[in-house]
Amino acid sequence: MSETPWELLPTASNHAASLDGLYVFLTIVCGISFVLVIGAMLYFMVKYKKRSDNDRTSPLTHSGKLEFAWSAIPAVFLMLFFVWGELDFVKLSAPPADAIDIRVTGQKWYWTIEYPGRPVAATVAALDGEVAPLLVVPLNQPVRLLMTSKDVIHSFYIPAFRVKKDVVPGRYASVWFTAIEEGTFPVFCTEYCGDEHSSMLAIVKVVPADQYEEAVRAATTLEQGEGETVEQFGEKVYKSFACNSCHNTDSTAKVGPGFGGVFGKSESFTDGSSGVVDENYIRESIYSPNAKVVSGFTPQMPSFAGQINDDQMNALIAYIKSLK
Ligand code: HEC
Ligand SMILES: [Cu+2]
């Protein structure tokens, strides 16, 4: 991102230049109006200051021409703002017919990204030290995001593309864009959605069109890499499914219990029973989190049944075991 607060955002999508233009135009017109209005006010304050008790206001009349001018000129500018804004809005609302559809689902506190015809297995990427889900898009090709939420209202915002849209449970929202600059750009959730709202990030990666298929394949394949230990793979799975948005890897609690030293520990549950944290318990906690709810916590964990396969589960267990 920008090095200094004064640097403008990259204009990395087809929408960016026109929206920036409108913004700059608005700022300039408002700046000029401000100077004219406040300047006239200061000038008249001095010019017509009451200087003595004999200083009487002369009879007031009005100037039809002046009144017409100060109504008509701003009205023309208001129409310009409206027409420019409306044209951009219409463009933003109507995706081209050949746009690629990518599904985006928001949930506390991460984004799931699904590509057409690919199994869901979002992998993560790092940007400025932040690890987040990866949205791969091709350069110079229109993309439509079909978005929804599983729980509360989130808002999907790609500042570099100037697209932002609320994501509401129970219905679809969509935005479209054509990325015009290669690179990686951050995505934020801009609707306050709970404790970890500010860590609900994603990363957009724009790749040349001929590398797109390969990049999507890589982004949707979550397998143990060559030379990767099972614990390392487990950590990748852990981050890909954003377990870290609710769990710490030390023993401190977040939304859920911390995992440091949890393996082998005896845990008590809200129904009064207790049990030892072993492989079966971890597996059950991930596939049916509400079967046993740890005392002191609320049943907020979503089920990952159907999302995490056996290899990934084994790696997750190995990783949690390794946390001291
Ligand atoms: C939205 C928040 C949230 C997310 C995301 C989440 N969890 Fe949880 N998790 C919880 C809460 C809250 C509990 C405690 C209540 C319960 O047992 O259901 C919990 C409990 C657990 C437990 C039992 C811990 C113990 O000390 O007994 C395990 C194991 C676990 N989660 C694993 C995971 C894994 C692995 C992931 C990622 C695939 C994950 N969780 C994602 C909230 C979350
Ligand atoms: Cu959110």
Side-chain angles (χ1 to χ4, degrees), residues 108-109 241-243 245-247 255-257 259 262 267 277 281-282 285-286 289 292-294 297-302 304 308 316 320:
K108 287 181 189 172
W109 287 280
F241 288 98
C243 312
S245 68
C246 295
H247 294 282
V255 178
F259 287 142
V262 78
E267 201 77 274
V277 177
Y281 169 75
I282 295 180
S285 294
I286 295 169
K292 299 193 182 87
V293 176
V294 182
F297 295 92
T298 47
Q300 284 201 52
M301 179 167 157
F304 290 88
I308 293 181
L316 261 179
I320 292 176

PDB file of all heavy atoms in Angstrom, residues 108-109 241-243 245-247 255-257 259 262 267 277 281-282 285-286 289 292-294 297-302 304 308 316 320, ligand 1:
ATOM      1  N   LYS A 108     -18.217 -14.486   9.895  1.00  0.00           N
ATOM      2  CA  LYS A 108     -17.343 -14.005  10.971  1.00  0.00           C
ATOM      3  C   LYS A 108     -16.101 -14.861  11.033  1.00  0.00           C
ATOM      4  O   LYS A 108     -16.216 -16.033  11.364  1.00  0.00           O
ATOM      5  CB  LYS A 108     -18.048 -14.080  12.308  1.00  0.00           C
ATOM      6  CG  LYS A 108     -19.125 -13.045  12.507  1.00  0.00           C
ATOM      7  CD  LYS A 108     -19.692 -13.259  13.883  1.00  0.00           C
ATOM      8  CE  LYS A 108     -20.920 -12.425  14.115  1.00  0.00           C
ATOM      9  NZ  LYS A 108     -21.564 -12.804  15.392  1.00  0.00           N
ATOM     10  N   TRP A 109     -14.896 -14.469  10.798  1.00  0.00           N
ATOM     11  CA  TRP A 109     -14.456 -13.217  10.293  1.00  0.00           C
ATOM     12  C   TRP A 109     -13.519 -13.506   9.162  1.00  0.00           C
ATOM     13  O   TRP A 109     -12.337 -13.234   9.246  1.00  0.00           O
ATOM     14  CB  TRP A 109     -13.775 -12.427  11.416  1.00  0.00           C
ATOM     15  CG  TRP A 109     -14.780 -11.911  12.401  1.00  0.00           C
ATOM     16  CD1 TRP A 109     -15.565 -10.785  12.237  1.00  0.00           C
ATOM     17  CD2 TRP A 109     -15.174 -12.447  13.663  1.00  0.00           C
ATOM     18  NE1 TRP A 109     -16.409 -10.614  13.325  1.00  0.00           N
ATOM     19  CE2 TRP A 109     -16.175 -11.622  14.212  1.00  0.00           C
ATOM     20  CE3 TRP A 109     -14.790 -13.574  14.388  1.00  0.00           C
ATOM     21  CZ2 TRP A 109     -16.791 -11.867  15.445  1.00  0.00           C
ATOM     22  CZ3 TRP A 109     -15.405 -13.821  15.612  1.00  0.00           C
ATOM     23  CH2 TRP A 109     -16.392 -12.961  16.123  1.00  0.00           C
ATOM     24  N   PHE A 241      -8.449 -21.696   6.707  1.00  0.00           N
ATOM     25  CA  PHE A 241      -9.825 -21.681   7.190  1.00  0.00           C
ATOM     26  C   PHE A 241     -10.014 -20.660   8.305  1.00  0.00           C
ATOM     27  O   PHE A 241     -11.026 -20.674   8.997  1.00  0.00           O
ATOM     28  CB  PHE A 241     -10.263 -23.085   7.632  1.00  0.00           C
ATOM     29  CG  PHE A 241     -10.460 -24.004   6.469  1.00  0.00           C
ATOM     30  CD1 PHE A 241      -9.471 -24.893   6.089  1.00  0.00           C
ATOM     31  CD2 PHE A 241     -11.629 -23.968   5.713  1.00  0.00           C
ATOM     32  CE1 PHE A 241      -9.628 -25.732   5.001  1.00  0.00           C
ATOM     33  CE2 PHE A 241     -11.797 -24.801   4.622  1.00  0.00           C
ATOM     34  CZ  PHE A 241     -10.792 -25.688   4.266  1.00  0.00           C
ATOM     35  N   ALA A 242      -9.029 -19.782   8.442  1.00  0.00           N
ATOM     36  CA  ALA A 242      -9.118 -18.655   9.379  1.00  0.00           C
ATOM     37  C   ALA A 242      -9.455 -19.086  10.799  1.00  0.00           C
ATOM     38  O   ALA A 242     -10.172 -18.400  11.511  1.00  0.00           O
ATOM     39  CB  ALA A 242     -10.114 -17.616   8.882  1.00  0.00           C
ATOM     40  N   CYS A 243      -8.949 -20.251  11.218  1.00  0.00           N
ATOM     41  CA  CYS A 243      -9.124 -20.666  12.612  1.00  0.00           C
ATOM     42  C   CYS A 243      -8.523 -19.582  13.519  1.00  0.00           C
ATOM     43  O   CYS A 243      -9.009 -19.348  14.624  1.00  0.00           O
ATOM     44  CB  CYS A 243      -8.417 -21.988  12.887  1.00  0.00           C
ATOM     45  SG  CYS A 243      -8.745 -23.271  11.670  1.00  0.00           S
ATOM     46  N   SER A 245      -8.812 -16.529  13.344  1.00  0.00           N
ATOM     47  CA  SER A 245      -9.663 -15.384  13.673  1.00  0.00           C
ATOM     48  C   SER A 245     -10.347 -15.599  15.017  1.00  0.00           C
ATOM     49  O   SER A 245     -10.792 -14.648  15.644  1.00  0.00           O
ATOM     50  CB  SER A 245     -10.673 -15.103  12.554  1.00  0.00           C
ATOM     51  OG  SER A 245     -11.611 -16.130  12.465  1.00  0.00           O
ATOM     52  N   CYS A 246     -10.456 -16.837  15.482  1.00  0.00           N
ATOM     53  CA  CYS A 246     -11.130 -17.106  16.759  1.00  0.00           C
ATOM     54  C   CYS A 246     -10.245 -17.798  17.799  1.00  0.00           C
ATOM     55  O   CYS A 246     -10.633 -17.889  18.956  1.00  0.00           O
ATOM     56  CB  CYS A 246     -12.364 -17.960  16.537  1.00  0.00           C
ATOM     57  SG  CYS A 246     -13.644 -17.156  15.583  1.00  0.00           S
ATOM     58  N   HIS A 247      -9.106 -18.343  17.362  1.00  0.00           N
ATOM     59  CA  HIS A 247      -8.254 -19.077  18.301  1.00  0.00           C
ATOM     60  C   HIS A 247      -6.841 -18.513  18.296  1.00  0.00           C
ATOM     61  O   HIS A 247      -6.326 -18.142  17.240  1.00  0.00           O
ATOM     62  CB  HIS A 247      -8.167 -20.557  17.906  1.00  0.00           C
ATOM     63  CG  HIS A 247      -9.464 -21.290  18.021  1.00  0.00           C
ATOM     64  ND1 HIS A 247      -9.968 -21.729  19.223  1.00  0.00           N
ATOM     65  CD2 HIS A 247     -10.380 -21.644  17.084  1.00  0.00           C
ATOM     66  CE1 HIS A 247     -11.122 -22.339  19.028  1.00  0.00           C
ATOM     67  NE2 HIS A 247     -11.410 -22.301  17.731  1.00  0.00           N
ATOM     68  N   VAL A 255     -12.001 -15.685  20.819  1.00  0.00           N
ATOM     69  CA  VAL A 255     -13.429 -16.017  20.776  1.00  0.00           C
ATOM     70  C   VAL A 255     -13.605 -17.454  21.273  1.00  0.00           C
ATOM     71  O   VAL A 255     -14.573 -17.793  21.952  1.00  0.00           O
ATOM     72  CB  VAL A 255     -13.962 -15.855  19.338  1.00  0.00           C
ATOM     73  CG1 VAL A 255     -15.429 -16.238  19.261  1.00  0.00           C
ATOM     74  CG2 VAL A 255     -13.748 -14.437  18.853  1.00  0.00           C
ATOM     75  N   GLY A 256     -12.645 -18.295  20.935  1.00  0.00           N
ATOM     76  CA  GLY A 256     -12.610 -19.672  21.417  1.00  0.00           C
ATOM     77  C   GLY A 256     -11.352 -19.879  22.266  1.00  0.00           C
ATOM     78  O   GLY A 256     -10.540 -18.958  22.400  1.00  0.00           O
ATOM     79  N   PRO A 257     -11.184 -21.091  22.806  1.00  0.00           N
ATOM     80  CA  PRO A 257     -10.008 -21.345  23.651  1.00  0.00           C
ATOM     81  C   PRO A 257      -8.693 -21.241  22.868  1.00  0.00           C
ATOM     82  O   PRO A 257      -8.673 -21.483  21.667  1.00  0.00           O
ATOM     83  CB  PRO A 257     -10.208 -22.792  24.128  1.00  0.00           C
ATOM     84  CG  PRO A 257     -11.584 -23.190  23.729  1.00  0.00           C
ATOM     85  CD  PRO A 257     -12.048 -22.265  22.655  1.00  0.00           C
ATOM     86  N   PHE A 259      -4.939 -22.635  21.837  1.00  0.00           N
ATOM     87  CA  PHE A 259      -4.537 -24.027  21.590  1.00  0.00           C
ATOM     88  C   PHE A 259      -3.198 -24.408  22.212  1.00  0.00           C
ATOM     89  O   PHE A 259      -2.798 -25.560  22.141  1.00  0.00           O
ATOM     90  CB  PHE A 259      -4.504 -24.303  20.087  1.00  0.00           C
ATOM     91  CG  PHE A 259      -5.879 -24.391  19.475  1.00  0.00           C
ATOM     92  CD1 PHE A 259      -6.125 -23.875  18.207  1.00  0.00           C
ATOM     93  CD2 PHE A 259      -6.927 -24.993  20.170  1.00  0.00           C
ATOM     94  CE1 PHE A 259      -7.387 -23.965  17.641  1.00  0.00           C
ATOM     95  CE2 PHE A 259      -8.192 -25.078  19.612  1.00  0.00           C
ATOM     96  CZ  PHE A 259      -8.424 -24.560  18.345  1.00  0.00           C
ATOM     97  N   VAL A 262      -3.053 -27.462  24.636  1.00  0.00           N
ATOM     98  CA  VAL A 262      -4.419 -27.971  24.820  1.00  0.00           C
ATOM     99  C   VAL A 262      -4.475 -29.494  24.683  1.00  0.00           C
ATOM    100  O   VAL A 262      -5.291 -30.158  25.320  1.00  0.00           O
ATOM    101  CB  VAL A 262      -5.402 -27.273  23.843  1.00  0.00           C
ATOM    102  CG1 VAL A 262      -5.298 -27.832  22.435  1.00  0.00           C
ATOM    103  CG2 VAL A 262      -6.829 -27.377  24.356  1.00  0.00           C
ATOM    104  N   GLU A 267     -10.863 -31.124  29.640  1.00  0.00           N
ATOM    105  CA  GLU A 267     -11.700 -29.953  29.358  1.00  0.00           C
ATOM    106  C   GLU A 267     -13.076 -30.172  29.977  1.00  0.00           C
ATOM    107  O   GLU A 267     -13.610 -31.279  29.930  1.00  0.00           O
ATOM    108  CB  GLU A 267     -11.825 -29.858  27.828  1.00  0.00           C
ATOM    109  CG  GLU A 267     -12.194 -28.517  27.289  1.00  0.00           C
ATOM    110  CD  GLU A 267     -11.037 -27.520  27.263  1.00  0.00           C
ATOM    111  OE1 GLU A 267     -10.832 -26.871  28.304  1.00  0.00           O
ATOM    112  OE2 GLU A 267     -10.365 -27.401  26.230  1.00  0.00           O
ATOM    113  N   VAL A 277      -8.791 -33.793  25.692  1.00  0.00           N
ATOM    114  CA  VAL A 277      -8.574 -33.337  24.319  1.00  0.00           C
ATOM    115  C   VAL A 277      -7.656 -34.329  23.604  1.00  0.00           C
ATOM    116  O   VAL A 277      -6.457 -34.373  23.855  1.00  0.00           O
ATOM    117  CB  VAL A 277      -7.957 -31.922  24.299  1.00  0.00           C
ATOM    118  CG1 VAL A 277      -7.678 -31.483  22.861  1.00  0.00           C
ATOM    119  CG2 VAL A 277      -8.865 -30.925  24.994  1.00  0.00           C
ATOM    120  N   TYR A 281     -11.620 -35.996  19.801  1.00  0.00           N
ATOM    121  CA  TYR A 281     -12.296 -34.798  20.308  1.00  0.00           C
ATOM    122  C   TYR A 281     -12.057 -33.607  19.375  1.00  0.00           C
ATOM    123  O   TYR A 281     -12.975 -32.847  19.053  1.00  0.00           O
ATOM    124  CB  TYR A 281     -11.818 -34.494  21.728  1.00  0.00           C
ATOM    125  CG  TYR A 281     -12.265 -33.132  22.193  1.00  0.00           C
ATOM    126  CD1 TYR A 281     -13.602 -32.915  22.558  1.00  0.00           C
ATOM    127  CD2 TYR A 281     -11.379 -32.059  22.247  1.00  0.00           C
ATOM    128  CE1 TYR A 281     -14.026 -31.650  22.958  1.00  0.00           C
ATOM    129  CE2 TYR A 281     -11.802 -30.805  22.653  1.00  0.00           C
ATOM    130  CZ  TYR A 281     -13.121 -30.603  23.002  1.00  0.00           C
ATOM    131  OH  TYR A 281     -13.547 -29.364  23.386  1.00  0.00           O
ATOM    132  N   ILE A 282     -10.810 -33.453  18.895  1.00  0.00           N
ATOM    133  CA  ILE A 282     -10.512 -32.322  17.992  1.00  0.00           C
ATOM    134  C   ILE A 282     -11.315 -32.461  16.699  1.00  0.00           C
ATOM    135  O   ILE A 282     -11.941 -31.519  16.223  1.00  0.00           O
ATOM    136  CB  ILE A 282      -8.998 -32.243  17.689  1.00  0.00           C
ATOM    137  CG1 ILE A 282      -8.233 -31.917  18.983  1.00  0.00           C
ATOM    138  CG2 ILE A 282      -8.705 -31.180  16.637  1.00  0.00           C
ATOM    139  CD1 ILE A 282      -6.730 -31.825  18.813  1.00  0.00           C
ATOM    140  N   SER A 285     -14.778 -31.571  17.395  1.00  0.00           N
ATOM    141  CA  SER A 285     -14.918 -30.123  17.622  1.00  0.00           C
ATOM    142  C   SER A 285     -14.963 -29.350  16.308  1.00  0.00           C
ATOM    143  O   SER A 285     -15.557 -28.285  16.227  1.00  0.00           O
ATOM    144  CB  SER A 285     -13.734 -29.586  18.433  1.00  0.00           C
ATOM    145  OG  SER A 285     -13.754 -30.140  19.717  1.00  0.00           O
ATOM    146  N   ILE A 286     -14.301 -29.901  15.272  1.00  0.00           N
ATOM    147  CA  ILE A 286     -14.235 -29.183  13.997  1.00  0.00           C
ATOM    148  C   ILE A 286     -15.448 -29.508  13.122  1.00  0.00           C
ATOM    149  O   ILE A 286     -16.005 -28.634  12.472  1.00  0.00           O
ATOM    150  CB  ILE A 286     -12.905 -29.516  13.282  1.00  0.00           C
ATOM    151  CG1 ILE A 286     -11.727 -28.979  14.125  1.00  0.00           C
ATOM    152  CG2 ILE A 286     -12.862 -28.927  11.884  1.00  0.00           C
ATOM    153  CD1 ILE A 286     -10.353 -29.448  13.684  1.00  0.00           C
ATOM    154  N   PRO A 289     -19.057 -28.669  16.072  1.00  0.00           N
ATOM    155  CA  PRO A 289     -18.548 -27.883  17.196  1.00  0.00           C
ATOM    156  C   PRO A 289     -19.536 -27.762  18.358  1.00  0.00           C
ATOM    157  O   PRO A 289     -19.109 -27.526  19.489  1.00  0.00           O
ATOM    158  CB  PRO A 289     -18.263 -26.507  16.588  1.00  0.00           C
ATOM    159  CG  PRO A 289     -18.807 -26.513  15.227  1.00  0.00           C
ATOM    160  CD  PRO A 289     -19.070 -27.907  14.808  1.00  0.00           C
ATOM    161  N   LYS A 292     -19.992 -30.611  21.924  1.00  0.00           N
ATOM    162  CA  LYS A 292     -19.500 -30.320  23.276  1.00  0.00           C
ATOM    163  C   LYS A 292     -18.999 -28.882  23.251  1.00  0.00           C
ATOM    164  O   LYS A 292     -18.120 -28.549  22.455  1.00  0.00           O
ATOM    165  CB  LYS A 292     -18.327 -31.235  23.643  1.00  0.00           C
ATOM    166  CG  LYS A 292     -18.666 -32.711  23.650  1.00  0.00           C
ATOM    167  CD  LYS A 292     -17.550 -33.493  24.331  1.00  0.00           C
ATOM    168  CE  LYS A 292     -17.816 -34.991  24.330  1.00  0.00           C
ATOM    169  NZ  LYS A 292     -17.313 -35.639  23.084  1.00  0.00           N
ATOM    170  N   VAL A 293     -19.575 -28.051  24.110  1.00  0.00           N
ATOM    171  CA  VAL A 293     -19.157 -26.651  24.137  1.00  0.00           C
ATOM    172  C   VAL A 293     -18.324 -26.414  25.398  1.00  0.00           C
ATOM    173  O   VAL A 293     -18.762 -26.708  26.502  1.00  0.00           O
ATOM    174  CB  VAL A 293     -20.382 -25.710  24.094  1.00  0.00           C
ATOM    175  CG1 VAL A 293     -19.934 -24.253  24.229  1.00  0.00           C
ATOM    176  CG2 VAL A 293     -21.150 -25.907  22.794  1.00  0.00           C
ATOM    177  N   VAL A 294     -17.104 -25.926  25.196  1.00  0.00           N
ATOM    178  CA  VAL A 294     -16.181 -25.740  26.319  1.00  0.00           C
ATOM    179  C   VAL A 294     -16.744 -24.702  27.305  1.00  0.00           C
ATOM    180  O   VAL A 294     -17.234 -23.655  26.887  1.00  0.00           O
ATOM    181  CB  VAL A 294     -14.810 -25.261  25.792  1.00  0.00           C
ATOM    182  CG1 VAL A 294     -13.810 -25.109  26.938  1.00  0.00           C
ATOM    183  CG2 VAL A 294     -14.275 -26.230  24.751  1.00  0.00           C
ATOM    184  N   PHE A 297     -17.314 -20.584  27.195  1.00  0.00           N
ATOM    185  CA  PHE A 297     -17.409 -20.097  25.815  1.00  0.00           C
ATOM    186  C   PHE A 297     -18.826 -20.261  25.303  1.00  0.00           C
ATOM    187  O   PHE A 297     -19.605 -21.036  25.856  1.00  0.00           O
ATOM    188  CB  PHE A 297     -16.439 -20.855  24.903  1.00  0.00           C
ATOM    189  CG  PHE A 297     -15.000 -20.601  25.265  1.00  0.00           C
ATOM    190  CD1 PHE A 297     -14.340 -21.440  26.150  1.00  0.00           C
ATOM    191  CD2 PHE A 297     -14.318 -19.504  24.745  1.00  0.00           C
ATOM    192  CE1 PHE A 297     -13.015 -21.192  26.503  1.00  0.00           C
ATOM    193  CE2 PHE A 297     -12.998 -19.256  25.097  1.00  0.00           C
ATOM    194  CZ  PHE A 297     -12.349 -20.099  25.979  1.00  0.00           C
ATOM    195  N   THR A 298     -19.150 -19.509  24.248  1.00  0.00           N
ATOM    196  CA  THR A 298     -20.472 -19.651  23.636  1.00  0.00           C
ATOM    197  C   THR A 298     -20.328 -20.425  22.330  1.00  0.00           C
ATOM    198  O   THR A 298     -19.266 -20.388  21.711  1.00  0.00           O
ATOM    199  CB  THR A 298     -21.097 -18.273  23.362  1.00  0.00           C
ATOM    200  OG1 THR A 298     -20.112 -17.460  22.724  1.00  0.00           O
ATOM    201  CG2 THR A 298     -21.537 -17.609  24.658  1.00  0.00           C
ATOM    202  N   PRO A 299     -21.371 -21.128  21.892  1.00  0.00           N
ATOM    203  CA  PRO A 299     -21.264 -21.946  20.667  1.00  0.00           C
ATOM    204  C   PRO A 299     -21.252 -21.082  19.413  1.00  0.00           C
ATOM    205  O   PRO A 299     -22.238 -20.978  18.714  1.00  0.00           O
ATOM    206  CB  PRO A 299     -22.510 -22.838  20.723  1.00  0.00           C
ATOM    207  CG  PRO A 299     -23.465 -22.135  21.601  1.00  0.00           C
ATOM    208  CD  PRO A 299     -22.668 -21.302  22.560  1.00  0.00           C
ATOM    209  N   GLN A 300     -20.123 -20.478  19.143  1.00  0.00           N
ATOM    210  CA  GLN A 300     -20.030 -19.567  17.990  1.00  0.00           C
ATOM    211  C   GLN A 300     -19.275 -20.169  16.833  1.00  0.00           C
ATOM    212  O   GLN A 300     -19.142 -19.546  15.792  1.00  0.00           O
ATOM    213  CB  GLN A 300     -19.247 -18.321  18.412  1.00  0.00           C
ATOM    214  CG  GLN A 300     -20.017 -17.366  19.261  1.00  0.00           C
ATOM    215  CD  GLN A 300     -19.362 -15.993  19.184  1.00  0.00           C
ATOM    216  OE1 GLN A 300     -19.125 -15.464  18.115  1.00  0.00           O
ATOM    217  NE2 GLN A 300     -19.068 -15.419  20.335  1.00  0.00           N
ATOM    218  N   MET A 301     -18.719 -21.365  17.036  1.00  0.00           N
ATOM    219  CA  MET A 301     -17.867 -21.902  15.981  1.00  0.00           C
ATOM    220  C   MET A 301     -18.718 -22.542  14.886  1.00  0.00           C
ATOM    221  O   MET A 301     -19.609 -23.318  15.164  1.00  0.00           O
ATOM    222  CB  MET A 301     -16.914 -22.930  16.600  1.00  0.00           C
ATOM    223  CG  MET A 301     -16.009 -23.556  15.576  1.00  0.00           C
ATOM    224  SD  MET A 301     -14.677 -24.454  16.379  1.00  0.00           S
ATOM    225  CE  MET A 301     -14.271 -25.589  15.057  1.00  0.00           C
ATOM    226  N   PRO A 302     -18.456 -22.188  13.601  1.00  0.00           N
ATOM    227  CA  PRO A 302     -19.188 -22.830  12.506  1.00  0.00           C
ATOM    228  C   PRO A 302     -18.662 -24.244  12.283  1.00  0.00           C
ATOM    229  O   PRO A 302     -17.514 -24.535  12.608  1.00  0.00           O
ATOM    230  CB  PRO A 302     -18.872 -21.943  11.306  1.00  0.00           C
ATOM    231  CG  PRO A 302     -17.544 -21.333  11.604  1.00  0.00           C
ATOM    232  CD  PRO A 302     -17.457 -21.206  13.106  1.00  0.00           C
ATOM    233  N   PHE A 304     -17.135 -27.196  10.091  1.00  0.00           N
ATOM    234  CA  PHE A 304     -16.324 -27.266   8.883  1.00  0.00           C
ATOM    235  C   PHE A 304     -16.533 -28.589   8.156  1.00  0.00           C
ATOM    236  O   PHE A 304     -15.727 -28.966   7.310  1.00  0.00           O
ATOM    237  CB  PHE A 304     -14.845 -27.040   9.232  1.00  0.00           C
ATOM    238  CG  PHE A 304     -14.555 -25.622   9.649  1.00  0.00           C
ATOM    239  CD1 PHE A 304     -14.684 -25.234  10.979  1.00  0.00           C
ATOM    240  CD2 PHE A 304     -14.197 -24.667   8.713  1.00  0.00           C
ATOM    241  CE1 PHE A 304     -14.431 -23.919  11.356  1.00  0.00           C
ATOM    242  CE2 PHE A 304     -13.949 -23.340   9.087  1.00  0.00           C
ATOM    243  CZ  PHE A 304     -14.070 -22.971  10.421  1.00  0.00           C
ATOM    244  N   ILE A 308     -13.340 -29.490   5.149  1.00  0.00           N
ATOM    245  CA  ILE A 308     -11.992 -29.941   5.483  1.00  0.00           C
ATOM    246  C   ILE A 308     -11.936 -31.451   5.247  1.00  0.00           C
ATOM    247  O   ILE A 308     -12.724 -32.193   5.828  1.00  0.00           O
ATOM    248  CB  ILE A 308     -11.674 -29.591   6.960  1.00  0.00           C
ATOM    249  CG1 ILE A 308     -11.590 -28.069   7.106  1.00  0.00           C
ATOM    250  CG2 ILE A 308     -10.396 -30.264   7.430  1.00  0.00           C
ATOM    251  CD1 ILE A 308     -11.250 -27.580   8.495  1.00  0.00           C
ATOM    252  N   LEU A 316      -4.258 -30.763  10.571  1.00  0.00           N
ATOM    253  CA  LEU A 316      -4.719 -29.819  11.600  1.00  0.00           C
ATOM    254  C   LEU A 316      -4.472 -30.378  13.000  1.00  0.00           C
ATOM    255  O   LEU A 316      -3.992 -29.677  13.893  1.00  0.00           O
ATOM    256  CB  LEU A 316      -6.228 -29.588  11.455  1.00  0.00           C
ATOM    257  CG  LEU A 316      -6.703 -28.351  10.725  1.00  0.00           C
ATOM    258  CD1 LEU A 316      -8.224 -28.330  10.684  1.00  0.00           C
ATOM    259  CD2 LEU A 316      -6.175 -27.085  11.387  1.00  0.00           C
ATOM    260  N   ILE A 320      -2.192 -28.772  15.888  1.00  0.00           N
ATOM    261  CA  ILE A 320      -2.690 -28.394  17.225  1.00  0.00           C
ATOM    262  C   ILE A 320      -1.891 -29.134  18.309  1.00  0.00           C
ATOM    263  O   ILE A 320      -1.532 -28.557  19.325  1.00  0.00           O
ATOM    264  CB  ILE A 320      -4.216 -28.655  17.332  1.00  0.00           C
ATOM    265  CG1 ILE A 320      -4.965 -27.688  16.410  1.00  0.00           C
ATOM    266  CG2 ILE A 320      -4.705 -28.500  18.774  1.00  0.00           C
ATOM    267  CD1 ILE A 320      -6.466 -27.888  16.338  1.00  0.00           C
TER     268      ILE A 320
HETATM  269  C1  HEC B   1     -16.152 -17.954  14.688  1.00  0.00           C
HETATM  270  C2  HEC B   1     -15.149 -18.355  15.608  1.00  0.00           C
HETATM  271  C3  HEC B   1     -14.451 -19.698  15.436  1.00  0.00           C
HETATM  272  C4  HEC B   1     -13.790 -20.171  14.326  1.00  0.00           C
HETATM  273  C5  HEC B   1     -13.642 -19.529  12.959  1.00  0.00           C
HETATM  274  C6  HEC B   1     -13.210 -21.429  14.721  1.00  0.00           C
HETATM  275  N1  HEC B   1     -13.522 -21.716  16.014  1.00  0.00           N
HETATM  276 FE1  HEC B   1     -12.965 -23.351  17.057  1.00  0.00          FE
HETATM  277  N2  HEC B   1     -14.046 -22.732  18.659  1.00  0.00           N
HETATM  278  C7  HEC B   1     -14.720 -21.531  18.752  1.00  0.00           C
HETATM  279  C8  HEC B   1     -15.374 -21.436  20.056  1.00  0.00           C
HETATM  280  C9  HEC B   1     -16.226 -20.255  20.538  1.00  0.00           C
HETATM  281  C10 HEC B   1     -15.048 -22.627  20.750  1.00  0.00           C
HETATM  282  C11 HEC B   1     -15.497 -22.992  22.178  1.00  0.00           C
HETATM  283  C12 HEC B   1     -16.921 -23.455  22.193  1.00  0.00           C
HETATM  284  C13 HEC B   1     -17.080 -24.826  21.593  1.00  0.00           C
HETATM  285  O1  HEC B   1     -16.453 -25.750  22.104  1.00  0.00           O
HETATM  286  O2  HEC B   1     -17.806 -24.943  20.602  1.00  0.00           O
HETATM  287  C14 HEC B   1     -14.209 -23.410  19.847  1.00  0.00           C
HETATM  288  C15 HEC B   1     -13.672 -24.648  20.158  1.00  0.00           C
HETATM  289  C16 HEC B   1     -12.765 -25.338  19.382  1.00  0.00           C
HETATM  290  C17 HEC B   1     -12.070 -26.558  19.796  1.00  0.00           C
HETATM  291  C18 HEC B   1     -12.152 -27.197  21.157  1.00  0.00           C
HETATM  292  C19 HEC B   1     -11.068 -26.536  21.986  1.00  0.00           C
HETATM  293  C20 HEC B   1     -10.946 -26.958  23.413  1.00  0.00           C
HETATM  294  O3  HEC B   1     -10.128 -26.319  24.136  1.00  0.00           O
HETATM  295  O4  HEC B   1     -11.617 -27.898  23.840  1.00  0.00           O
HETATM  296  C21 HEC B   1     -11.271 -26.915  18.740  1.00  0.00           C
HETATM  297  C22 HEC B   1     -10.314 -28.105  18.689  1.00  0.00           C
HETATM  298  C23 HEC B   1     -11.474 -25.940  17.694  1.00  0.00           C
HETATM  299  N3  HEC B   1     -12.384 -24.996  18.098  1.00  0.00           N
HETATM  300  C24 HEC B   1     -10.815 -25.994  16.466  1.00  0.00           C
HETATM  301  C25 HEC B   1     -11.012 -25.057  15.457  1.00  0.00           C
HETATM  302  C26 HEC B   1     -10.372 -25.140  14.165  1.00  0.00           C
HETATM  303  C27 HEC B   1      -9.351 -26.192  13.759  1.00  0.00           C
HETATM  304  C28 HEC B   1     -10.847 -24.100  13.434  1.00  0.00           C
HETATM  305  C29 HEC B   1     -10.531 -23.784  11.965  1.00  0.00           C
HETATM  306  C30 HEC B   1     -10.790 -24.856  11.049  1.00  0.00           C
HETATM  307  C31 HEC B   1     -11.772 -23.358  14.284  1.00  0.00           C
HETATM  308  N4  HEC B   1     -11.834 -23.958  15.494  1.00  0.00           N
HETATM  309  C32 HEC B   1     -12.425 -22.215  13.870  1.00  0.00           C
HETATM  310  C33 HEC B   1     -14.798 -20.565  17.774  1.00  0.00           C
HETATM  311  C34 HEC B   1     -14.291 -20.668  16.488  1.00  0.00           C
END
